[in-house]
């Protein structure tokens, strides 16, 4: 070592590959027979041992610098956040942005169950459509399949179709009985409202996917045509490909769709419930309550995955096949990531490959734990407080796993693994420090060759397999890529018919009010299902409002149609009364 210091001077204070390469070449000229130039036993030529690497290139690790960190954030982190941000989120008034954060972290920490929940939602839609079609086929009512399927599919958002059989019997009696034409018309109008208010962000999801893939393509092309490359570029792409299952998850989320807020479906269904009760002459009660993330509002969280008995009245194992498809998607992303890291010099299972495999292992363990958590959940009473507590516990568990994994990604991007020890594959197959080696001559050329040949193929194959997984999952869980739906002209026809009806009937009457779980709704007249507030806040106003309503109805000489107009988008937002003015 003293001879080395005399010939080359002191090494860098931290690992520096370029400095180590220069010092290696100078040492080979000044002292060709130096022991540091002899490769370890079994190592290729032009390689040095771990001790020689630390003496030539410097000990410890070296960060990539602020510029590289900002470049990684701009080209890797931001596209990832944009991709996750395109999941369908329902806007919950009380949870605000906390729910969106929990959904994102839950998906990153537990992708198998997150995608499994989305597939279960699609599978529920297929089962509902199949059961409605069987029931209506014998009565030549197949054209109405989409109407009642849409309503039942919306009711699945409320406690995961716990009262599905009751809802199904009510709607099928309406569909089959010719005497209930007004009730059937109310269902038709409600289905149109639910259909047009449902969010479909397929276009935004595709744009997010293109942005995510463009960042990867830009980095590959920049490395191919650049005179010099960063040694860690292939590992960076590999760590990004471990999350390629997000491509599949985003497409599934776009296919499932969602509602813009917690009030959209509640308002429409409350209005429908009131109209059906009026036309039938008897009270009809759907199992409605305030939509919450833990009762069905978040499509990426669903503790009840087996819906075969509830929706199809027969036990099957499709939910297990859906879970296996999600497992394959995550496993394929991990395999492509490890393949890139393994073929990056120094070849072998280094720390980065082990981290990528550990990501997959954590996801699998978390999925198994969640599976048994869900079985415990199904054994409990199902009270609102129990559901909320389970949602908090499960979401916190997934968030901790996600934060831990994101910290590992940031440590890799910042350069914590940029050292002789990690580049030399010292931990590969337990070879230890004595047999570990690193190429200080040709590593940059080998990495550039990898980027120009094998890397684009692995990345392209990883993208293609995730897209195929997404299409296959949608086809298997939904049964068809084009399920039955309404005609494009139906919303316009409904609007014109209601507009003509209102012009003949005169001004609307004062909306009546209903109370559900402590919430007050206006459910007749042009107000539709507008949210009015909590019962406790307005008990003193009830008598006065009823008297005003009776007085106005008595003075109104115009004919008032008993049919309620559908809920318009601007009427679906919850509004609370200003108690200070009152």
């Amino acid at each position: 070592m003293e001879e080395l210091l005399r010939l080359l001077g002191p090494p860098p204070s931290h690992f520096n590959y370029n400095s180590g390469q220069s010092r290696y070449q100078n040492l080979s000229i000044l002292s060709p027979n130096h022991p540091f130039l002899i490769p370890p036993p079994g190592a290729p030529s032009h390689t040095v041992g771990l001790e020689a690497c630390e003496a030539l290139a410097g000990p410890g690790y070296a960060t990539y610098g602020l510029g590289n960190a900002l470049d990684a954030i701009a080209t890797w982190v931001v596209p990832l956040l944009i991709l996750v941000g395109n999941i369908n989120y329902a806007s919950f008034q009380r949870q605000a942005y906390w729910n969106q954060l929990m959904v994102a972290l839950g998906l990153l920490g537990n992708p198998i169950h997150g995608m499994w929940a989305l597939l279960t939602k699609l599978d529920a839609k297929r089962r509902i459509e199949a059961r409605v079609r069987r029931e209506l086929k014998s009565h030549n009512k197949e054209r109405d399949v989409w109407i009642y399927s849409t309503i039942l599919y919306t009711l699945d958002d409320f406690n995961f179709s716990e009262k599905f059989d009751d809802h199904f019997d009510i709607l099928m009696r309406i569909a089959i009985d010719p005497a209930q034409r007004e009730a059937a018309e109310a269902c038709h109008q409600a289905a149109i409202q639910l259909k047009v208010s449902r969010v479909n962000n397929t276009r935004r999801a595709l744009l997010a996917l293109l942005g995510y893939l463009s960042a990867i393509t830009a980095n590959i092309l920049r490395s191919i045509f650049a005179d010099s490359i960063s040694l860690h570029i292939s590992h960076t792409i590999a760590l990004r490909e471990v999350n390629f299952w997000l491509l599949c998850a985003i497409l599934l989320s776009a296919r499932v769709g969602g509602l813009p807020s917690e009030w959209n479906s509640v308002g429409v269904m409350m209005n429908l419930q009131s109209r059906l009760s009026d036309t039938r002459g008897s009270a009809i009660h759907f199992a409605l309550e305030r939509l919450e993330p833990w009762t069905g509002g978040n499509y990426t969280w669903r503790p009840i995955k087996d819906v075969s008995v509830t929706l199809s009245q027969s036990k099957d194992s499709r939910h297990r096949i859906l879970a296996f498809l999600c497992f394959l998607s995550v496993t394929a992303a991990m395999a492509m990531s490890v393949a890139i890291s393994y073929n990056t010099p120094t070849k072998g299972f280094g720390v980065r490959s082990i981290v990528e495999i550990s990501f997959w292992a954590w996801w699998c363990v978390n999925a198994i734990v969640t599976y048994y958590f869900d079985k415990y959940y199904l054994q409990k009473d199902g009270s609102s407080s129990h559901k909320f507590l389970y949602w908090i516990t499960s979401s916190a568990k997934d968030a901790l796993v996600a934060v831990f994994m994101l910290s590992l990604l940031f440590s890799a991007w910042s350069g914590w693994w940029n050292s002789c020890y990690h580049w030399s594959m010292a931990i590969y197959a337990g070879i230890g420090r004595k047999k570990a080696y690193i190429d200080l001559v040709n590593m940059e050329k080998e990495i550039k060759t990898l980027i120009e040949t094998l890397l684009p193929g692995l990345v392209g194959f990883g993208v293609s397999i995730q897209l195929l997984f997404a299409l296959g999952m949608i086809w298997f869980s939904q049964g068809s890529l084009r399920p039955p739906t309404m005609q494009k002209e139906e919303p316009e026809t409904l609007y014109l018919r209601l507009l003509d009806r209102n012009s003949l009937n005169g001004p609307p009457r004062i909306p009546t009010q209903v109370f559900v779980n402590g919430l007050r709704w206006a459910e007749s007249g042009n107000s539709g299902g507008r949210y009015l507030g909590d019962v406790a806040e307005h008990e003193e106003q009830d008598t006065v409002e009823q008297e005003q309503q009776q007085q106005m109805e008595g003075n109104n000489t115009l004919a008032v149609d008993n049919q309620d107009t559908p809920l318009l988008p601007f009427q679906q937002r919850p509004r609370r009364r200003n108690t200070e003015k009152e």
Side-chain angles (χ1 to χ4, degrees), residues 364-385:
C364 292
V365 170
N366 195 18
I368 295 173
V369 172
T370 304
Y371 174 77
Y372 285 102
F373 272 26
D374 291 348
K375 292 184 66 175
Y376 174 78
Y377 166 85
L378 296 175
Q379 296 173 357
K380 291 299 179 180
D381 53 5
S383 62
S384 179
S385 59

Side-chain angles (χ1 to χ4, degrees), residues 479-530:
S480 171
L481 296 178
R482 297 183 62 86
T485 185
M486 67 179 181
Q487 300 296 322
K488 293 182 179 180
E489 63 273 9
E490 288 190 63
E492 182 180 3
T493 303
L494 172 64
Y495 170 76
L496 294 175
R497 185 169 67 250
L498 295 175
L499 186 65
D500 181 66
R501 178 186 299 171
N502 288 339
S503 65
L504 297 176
N505 292 335
R509 55 190 168 92
I510 292 180
T512 57
Q513 300 173 9
V514 294
F515 301 91
V516 176
N517 292 343
L519 303 178
R520 179 153 71 175
W521 292 80
E523 59 168 359
S524 61
N526 284 344
S527 296
R530 182 167 58 87

Side-chain angles (χ1 to χ4, degrees), residues 43-63:
S45 58
H46 301 294
T47 61
V48 298
L50 182 57
E51 182 182 358
C53 175
E54 293 176 345
L56 294 172
Y61 69 92
T63 59

Side-chain angles (χ1 to χ4, degrees), residues 235-268:
H235 284 306
T236 303
I237 295 176
L239 286 171
R240 185 162 192 163
E241 188 155 350
V242 77
N243 288 314
F244 266 21
W245 53 264
L246 272 171
L247 308 180
C248 182
I250 296 301
L251 292 177
L252 293 179
S253 178
R255 189 62 178 178
V256 172
L259 294 168
S261 76
E262 58 187 307
W263 305 109
N264 292 80
S265 58
V266 177
V268 175

Side-chain angles (χ1 to χ4, degrees), residues 11-17 19 54 56-63 418:
S13 58
H14 299 286
F15 176 77
N16 187 316
Y17 178 82
S19 177
E54 293 176 345
L56 294 172
Y61 69 92
T63 59
N418 186 31

